Amino acid sequence: MAGALVLIIGYLLSANHRLMTANRSDRAEYLAALAARETAHAAEITALRTAHTAELSAMRTRISKLERRLAGLENELDAERDRRRAAEDAAAAARRGELPPA
């Protein structure tokens, strides 16, 4: 009976050792794969940040161009309004029989 118990305990210890060795190997493979994925992820994040920065720069350039264009159009509109008001004032003066303002 004692011999059978020794054999069972020996078998269980051997099985435990095999499982621990296999787990250590699997864990090492998992950690290597995880490190590779972390490196790839860091590269992806860097590429995305670079692309985002470039896109923001392009958008800022475009916005500044549009703001300059808008300022020019606002100036043109103001000049057109001034011309229209002067023409309306001259027409009103002509209807009243007055000399147009100089």
Side-chain angles (χ1 to χ4, degrees):
M1 180 74 164
L5 187 58
V6 169
L7 285 176
I8 292 173
I9 291 175
Y11 174 76
L12 289 176
L13 286 173
S14 173
N16 187 33
H17 177 70
R18 281 194 305 267
L19 285 174
M20 294 299 280
T21 303
N23 283 342
R24 210 173 309 128
S25 174
D26 290 345
R27 178 105 175 122
E29 290 173 6
Y30 167 76
L31 290 176
L34 182 62
R37 182 61 191 128
E38 285 176 349
T39 303
H41 184 258
E44 290 173 9
I45 293 294
T46 301
L48 286 174
R49 284 184 180 152
T50 302
H52 184 254
T53 302
E55 186 177 346
L56 283 177
S57 177
M59 292 299 268
R60 286 186 180 115
T61 302
R62 184 170 183 231
I63 287 172
S64 67
K65 287 179 183 177
L66 290 173
E67 285 174 341
R68 284 193 301 273
R69 182 175 174 207
L70 181 61
L73 291 173
E74 286 173 344
N75 291 337
E76 190 178 320
L77 179 62
D78 289 341
E80 178 64 29
R81 284 180 184 157
D82 291 341
R83 287 191 298 272
R84 188 189 75 224
R85 285 183 186 131
E88 288 173 352
D89 290 346
R95 281 193 303 270
R96 289 190 303 264
E98 300 173 1
L99 291 174

